[in-house]
Amino acid sequence: MLAPVTARRLASVDSKYNSPAGDWVGVSARVSCLVYNTSSLPAASLPTSIYDLADPAWKGKLALAPAETDFLPVVTAIAKDQGDAAALIWLNAVKRNAAGHIYPDNETLVADVNRGAATIGIINHYYWFRFQKETDAAMKSAIAYFAPQDPGYLIDVSGAGVLRSSTHQAEAQKLLAFLVSKQGEGVLAKGVSFEYPLGSNAPASPELRPFPQLRPDPLTISDFGDGSGALKLLQEAQLL
């Protein structure tokens, strides 16, 4: 359904964050992480791997928002690492641990962890930063990253493309050019999205961990695929 993005636009972004087919360009990124209640869980006791959350020790403490699209890449990464059968076992284990703390979205999850209704949850980083910016309540939560290259430590990409059916191809390509320009990406850095800009080496918000310091699982855009495998596993685990 998408038209090719011009080579010049694609060159504005590191190729590993663009469509392998060249029909969309990466605009922004977010990183999966943990949010935890600092009153009930000391940083020294945090899990270092996504697999640790399947431990029964987290029963009644874990929070999940499995219907969020951000959760699908985590499931994909686990399946790539251990296989579908192991991923399903993990899903069933975290489902048991999260009984009573399964949320419709990450905003609700972060708010409940912050007030202590749950102890720890899996989110993408920007939900916590947005909550911190918007809330009037005292912050009783923080975020933490898994060990380098853990399957729970992922960079997710939001991209933009042009519909092949569009009758305004030139104008649409100009919009893409703006989105990945330093000016366009600067909107992310100066606004309250708290996402990482991917185009034109634009700097991220200074509140975020610098992008070059992130140490995610080295999965590629092609490895993530279309998410259908993860969706099937979530349905089998009756989390969707």
Side-chain angles (χ1 to χ4, degrees), residues 14-21 24 26 28 76 80 155-159 198 218-227:
D14 189 321
S15 60
K16 65 183 177 182
Y17 301 125
N18 291 333
S19 161
W24 56 262
S28 65
T76 298
K80 288 284 184 183
I155 287 179
D156 298 323
V157 174
S158 289
L198 290 176
L219 287 178
T220 66
I221 295 294
S222 295
D223 289 332
F224 283 120
D226 62 5

Side-chain angles (χ1 to χ4, degrees), residues 68-80:
E68 284 276 12
T69 55
D70 298 339
F71 192 68
L72 267 71
V74 174
V75 179
T76 298
I78 292 172
K80 288 284 184 183

Side-chain angles (χ1 to χ4, degrees), residues 113-133:
V113 169
N114 191 70
R115 69 183 180 88
T119 303
I120 192 169
I122 307 167
I123 60 167
N124 272 357
H125 78 277
Y126 66 136
Y127 288 100
W128 184 85
F129 283 97
R130 290 177 185 175
F131 179 81
Q132 181 190 41
K133 193 78 171 179

